[in-house]
Amino acid sequence: MKTVVHVTHEAVQKIGGIGAVLHGLLTSRTYSAAVDRDILLGPLFTTDGPASSRLGGNGEVLYSSIDGIVGHPQAQQFAEIERKYNVSIVYGRKTFFDPATGVRANPEVILFDVRRFDQYQINSFKARLFERFQIESNKYEHVWDYEQYCRIAEPGLEVLHAIGACAGHEPAVIVSHEYMGMPTALAAIMQGPELFRTIFYAHEVATMRRLVEDHPGHDTMFYNVLEQAHVQGATVEDVFGSQDFFYKHPLVRAAQYCDNVFAVGDYVIKELQFLDKAFDSHATNLAYNGVPAFKISVEEKLASRGRLQQYCQNLLGYSPDHVLTHVTRLVRSKGLWRDIRVLEQFEKLCRKENRTAVLFVLSTESVGRRSDDILNMEADYKWPVAHREGHPDLTGGEAAFYAGVQEFNARSRNCKIVYMNQFGFDRKTCGSRMPAEMEFMDIRKGSDAEFGQSIYEPFGIAQVEPISFGGICVFTNVCGCAGFVRHAAGGKPSPNIIEADYTKLDAIKGGDIEDLLKLDRAKRDYLETCIGKDIADELFKRLPVTREQFAGFVERGYELARKMSWEVVARDYVLPGIGRALERKQPAKAVKAAV
């Protein structure tokens, strides 16, 4: 009986990449055939609303002391755990279904309301974290994000015992999705390898994300520093000083005590080695994220593309020769300003050849706007061509990006950017000027090219989603998906892929680590302009214009995506990694702190 416990903040709601990973794995035929029991464990973020809302859509609550649902066979054991730790437990099942694979998964879900946690119990646990793993929790007790994941650890393991998750022939495998699951993984390590084995699923290295995002040199600085530090045998703290003030840092570093580490990209492995030299020899394997692989005809491609062209016609009065897209979250790491740098150069090429283009940027830092608000903004000032600051339109971050869009649109003639601060891509969510038959998949199927030039992107599922539909995918060499694409393409270049390298220092003086740490925004802007020109030139040459060219992109794209599917990820990466964790003879042992 193979039992896998996924500890995550996305046990109920799909918020980002981890939710996509869970859905992809759980609905993979290969994974579901190999794993007998999946359990999702995490905190309960709110007790508001009815019992039916606890596990979100497609969830069934089997036990909830909050709602008086206490008829479960393990109710007495759950109640004892609740009294011991002063927590509330929600237990049930959630359904995941993928129409592409036809797989329906029904993992168990365990959630905890830990707001009134027993002080003696949490202090005792934190003391053991220090004794065994030298984690000084007292530094982070004011950070609720740290505190809540410490609080779910021990009651989480007790519920696993209560429901028989540790009663199989093999130990249960605790998978810590990012830092959030590490307290639970460390608690499992302390219980012993005969009961649990542990895996740290590195969807990123939080310490490195912060350093990349906060420094004006971003990835240009960081990855050049990382390479030089590797040669010198230096760690992140040797270069950037102590990182212990950052609560995620000690939790991620403690992944060295897990039985295996999954890294979603090649650079994630290097970042872990930069984090701590213990990862140089630690059991670590790649576990790329999967990419949706849908086979479509060139007719379907062109039909979706036609709807996007019609939408541009409705908004801007012209049907573009090229349709470019970027679907992403509005955060600094996504490097959205780089799209504009590329379009500044692309505009010049379009003028010479008398071509036109549009870039649809679909990104927001807010929840979805109401349909009524969208219709009112559309009627009042022609949203999404024009925007206004403040509710219900632009938030602060959205306004900052839109300022760059306005400047570009004012200067450009042949290329325009349409910024849509609203997720969803149909008439109901985006207004009456959108074609009635438009649906979200049209922006993926119909795209000629998808941008994704992130400064920090451990993998980047969104960047390569259009690849299956024949879109040209533009991403940076530090994106984890770059390594997977290279592997899928057999190391050969593909017309469907443009890999931007913003770590090249040809246009500026590189120097040693000290010089790189001084890299400022002005130098980075100059470098990005130079590289943006190269990307624009390459994109302009490759963009298809005939039906035969579109058909070639669709055929090649599907072949690439097929080799990057969740079935491939489960078969070649995740399941072998789980096997290695179970087979490990001597799990890593922590060193006790000096007294």
Side-chain angles (χ1 to χ4, degrees), residues 205-219 221-223 225 235-237 239-243 245-246 249 271 274-275 332 455-456 517:
V205 181
T207 305
M208 309 308 163
R209 175 184 288 278
R210 189 187 62 79
L211 291 169
V212 173
E213 290 182 350
D214 290 352
H215 194 283
H218 294 325
D219 51 344
M221 173 281 300
F222 180 80
Y223 289 101
V225 166
T235 67
V236 66
E237 295 195 329
V239 176
F240 293 97
S242 174
Q243 302 296 307
F245 62 89
F246 184 40
H249 177 72
E271 291 169 18
F274 189 37
L275 185 78
R332 184 182 300 175
I455 62 173
Y456 186 82
L517 292 174

Side-chain angles (χ1 to χ4, degrees), residues 223-252:
Y223 289 101
N224 281 291
V225 166
L226 183 148
E227 295 296 341
Q228 291 199 26
H230 178 72
V231 172
Q232 298 175 18
T235 67
V236 66
E237 295 195 329
D238 295 330
V239 176
F240 293 97
S242 174
Q243 302 296 307
D244 278 347
F245 62 89
F246 184 40
Y247 72 97
K248 299 179 184 180
H249 177 72
L251 292 176
V252 177

Side-chain angles (χ1 to χ4, degrees), residues 54-264:
R54 302 283 175 242
L55 302 183
N58 301 317
E60 179 187 11
V61 175
L62 301 175
Y63 177 92
S64 173
S65 57
I66 299 167
D67 304 291
I69 303 173
V70 292
H72 192 270
Q74 273 74 47
Q76 185 175 347
Q77 292 169 279
F78 291 165
E80 290 173 359
I81 296 168
E82 289 176 319
R83 284 192 293 270
K84 178 178 178 180
Y85 294 99
N86 199 20
V87 298
S88 296
I89 297 171
V90 175
Y91 171 73
R93 287 188 177 274
K94 186 173 176 65
T95 299
F96 291 77
F97 178 70
D98 190 333
T101 63
V103 174
R104 188 180 302 274
N106 297 99
E108 297 159 78
V109 182
I110 307 167
L111 303 178
F112 295 93
D113 176 10
V114 295
R115 291 174 298 169
R116 296 171 295 277
F117 204 92
D118 183 85
Q119 195 64 46
Y120 171 80
Q121 294 291 348
I122 192 61
N123 287 345
S124 177
F125 176 62
K126 290 175 180 176
R128 291 194 297 278
L129 285 181
F130 175 70
E131 181 183 355
R132 290 289 301 274
F133 307 105
Q134 297 181 301
I135 295 177
E136 300 177 80
S137 298
N138 59 299
K139 293 181 178 180
Y140 319 113
E141 289 179 335
H142 63 288
V143 181
W144 178 245
D145 196 37
Y146 178 89
E147 187 72 13
Q148 67 179 338
Y149 292 109
C150 284
R151 292 183 180 191
I152 69 171
E154 291 196 306
L157 296 187
E158 291 204 22
V159 171
L160 292 177
H161 282 288
I163 62 176
C166 312
H169 295 297
E170 294 181 316
V173 179
I174 303 289
V175 180
S176 168
H177 287 274
E178 265 310 306
Y179 70 93
M180 291 80 80
M182 277 308 301
T184 304
L186 296 175
I189 290 170
M190 288 189 278
Q191 287 200 10
E194 68 283 353
L195 293 173
F196 297 104
R197 294 300 172 93
T198 56
I199 296 172
F200 178 67
Y201 211 131
H203 300 273
E204 67 174 37
V205 181
T207 305
M208 309 308 163
R209 175 184 288 278
R210 189 187 62 79
L211 291 169
V212 173
E213 290 182 350
D214 290 352
H215 194 283
H218 294 325
D219 51 344
T220 307
M221 173 281 300
F222 180 80
Y223 289 101
N224 281 291
V225 166
L226 183 148
E227 295 296 341
Q228 291 199 26
H230 178 72
V231 172
Q232 298 175 18
T235 67
V236 66
E237 295 195 329
D238 295 330
V239 176
F240 293 97
S242 174
Q243 302 296 307
D244 278 347
F245 62 89
F246 184 40
Y247 72 97
K248 299 179 184 180
H249 177 72
L251 292 176
V252 177
R253 187 169 56 191
Q256 64 187 272
Y257 303 119
C258 292
D259 296 295
N260 201 358
V261 172
F262 289 170
V264 298

Side-chain angles (χ1 to χ4, degrees), residues 401-459:
F401 174 65
Y402 179 60
V405 171
Q406 282 182 301
E407 182 181 11
F408 172 81
N409 284 342
R411 293 181 174 185
S412 66
R413 185 176 68 210
N414 290 49
C415 302
K416 299 294 180 181
I417 300 173
V418 176
Y419 172 47
M420 304 184 68
N421 56 335
Q422 170 84 331
F423 277 128
F425 202 72
D426 53 32
R427 178 170 282 191
K428 180 180 179 181
T429 56
C430 295
S432 60
R433 290 191 288 177
M434 183 165 278
E437 64 273 25
M438 186 84 84
E439 59 183 15
F440 180 80
M441 287 305 293
D442 285 319
I443 199 172
R444 308 316 255 161
K445 292 179 180 179
S447 174
D448 294 348
E450 171 78 7
F451 286 116
Q453 303 176 95
S454 303
I455 62 173
Y456 186 82
E457 192 72 71
F459 185 79

Side-chain angles (χ1 to χ4, degrees), residues 27-39:
T27 58
S28 154
R29 293 190 188 94
T30 306
Y31 178 89
S32 60
V35 176
D36 301 284
R37 190 176 186 184
D38 278 293
I39 302 170

